[in-house]
Amino acid sequence: MFMAAAIVVKAVMVGLAFASVVTWTIWLVKMIELVSANRKVRHALHILRQSPTLMASARGLPKNGGAAARLVLAALSEVDASRALPAEGIKERVAISLNRIEAGAGRRMSLGTGLLATIGSTAPFVGLFGTVWGIMNSFIGISKSQTTSLAVVAPGIAEALLATAIGLVAAIPAVIIYNVFARAISNYKASLSDTSSEVMRHLSRDLDREQAGATRLRAAAE
C-alpha cells in the first residue's frame, strides 16, 4: 500500500514514522536521565538528613552529584563569600541561589517534552491530511475510469486510511509518554525542593551555632 500511494501520502507516512522514532528516542533518553537524576537526589537527601552539618554533607556527596550536589555547594560558596556578614543576608542570598539552581534543573529536565506534546497534538491531523489527499485521488481515479466499482477505489482508500492509522500510532504513545514525563518531572522538582529545604535547615542551624559560639567567646572575654 505504501509503494502504491501518492507522493504526498508517502511523504505524510514517512514524516509520521520519523515522528514515532523521535518519540521513542526521547522516551529512552529522558527515562535514563530521570532515573539517574532521581537516584542522585535521593542519595543527596539521605546524606543531608544523616549529616550533622552542611560541610559534612558536602564531604559525603559524590563529585558528580547532579543538581542536588550543586545546591549544597552553592550554599557553602555563599557562606564562604559572606564571612562576618549578617546571617539573615546570607540566608536570603543562599535562597536566591537555590531557587535559580532548581529552576535551571527543571528546565533542563523538561527539554524534549514539548516536542512530545507537539507530536501528540498534530500527528492525527497530519495523518488525516494524508487520508483526505488519498481519498481525493481515489475519486479522481473514479472519474477517469468512468466506473464506481469498489475494486477500483478500494486500494486508494485503503492507502489513504493507512496514513490516519500511522498518525494515531505516532500520536498515542507521544501523548502517553508526555503525561508520564510530566508527572515524573513534577516529582523530581518536588525532590529538589525537599533538598533545598534540607540545605536551608542545615545552613540556619550552622549559622545559629556559629553565632552562639561567637556570643559565648565574647561573654568569656568580658
Side-chain angles (χ1 to χ4, degrees):
M1 285 191 293
F2 174 79
M3 297 305 298
I7 186 65
V8 174
V9 180
K10 284 182 180 179
V12 168
M13 292 181 183
V14 170
L16 291 172
F18 178 74
S20 182
V21 171
V22 170
T23 295
W24 290 107
T25 301
I26 293 174
W27 170 80
L28 179 61
V29 173
K30 299 304 292 185
M31 184 62 68
I32 295 172
E33 187 178 0
L34 272 168
V35 169
S36 175
N38 280 317
R39 185 185 300 116
K40 290 176 181 178
V41 170
R42 287 194 298 268
H43 181 61
L45 268 174
H46 176 73
I47 290 176
L48 281 166
R49 287 166 178 166
Q50 299 297 322
S51 300
T53 65
L54 194 60
M55 182 62 72
S57 63
R59 295 192 192 101
L61 289 173
K63 292 182 179 179
N64 187 19
R70 291 198 299 272
L71 293 172
V72 176
L73 294 177
L76 290 175
S77 297
E78 183 59 41
V79 170
D80 289 338
S82 303
R83 291 294 180 186
L85 294 178
E88 289 303 319
I90 296 175
K91 294 176 184 177
E92 181 179 350
R93 288 187 293 275
V94 169
I96 293 172
S97 298
L98 299 187
N99 286 334
R100 298 320 308 154
I101 292 173
E102 284 186 56
R107 284 194 299 269
R108 283 192 295 273
M109 193 59 68
S110 298
L111 289 176
T113 57
L115 187 57
L116 292 175
T118 301
I119 292 173
S121 60
T122 60
F125 298 103
V126 174
L128 184 60
F129 168 75
T131 297
V132 171
W133 191 276
I135 291 176
M136 285 193 304
N137 285 337
S138 296
F139 286 138
I140 292 172
I142 292 174
S143 65
K144 288 181 179 178
S145 63
Q146 299 296 320
T147 179
T148 58
S149 172
L150 187 61
V152 175
V153 298
I157 294 176
E159 295 156 9
L161 292 175
L162 180 61
T164 297
I166 296 177
L168 294 175
V169 168
I172 293 172
V175 172
I176 294 173
I177 293 171
Y178 174 79
N179 290 331
V180 170
F181 281 157
R183 291 191 296 271
I185 292 172
S186 296
N187 292 334
Y188 171 70
K189 291 179 179 178
S191 297
L192 275 182
S193 180
D194 291 341
T195 305
S196 293
S197 298
E198 287 294 323
V199 170
M200 291 301 298
R201 184 172 65 88
H202 274 292
L203 176 66
S204 178
R205 184 188 297 121
D206 291 345
L207 291 175
D208 289 346
R209 187 182 293 120
E210 183 178 333
Q211 185 176 6
T215 302
R216 285 195 296 269
L217 286 175
R218 285 196 300 269
E222 292 173 357

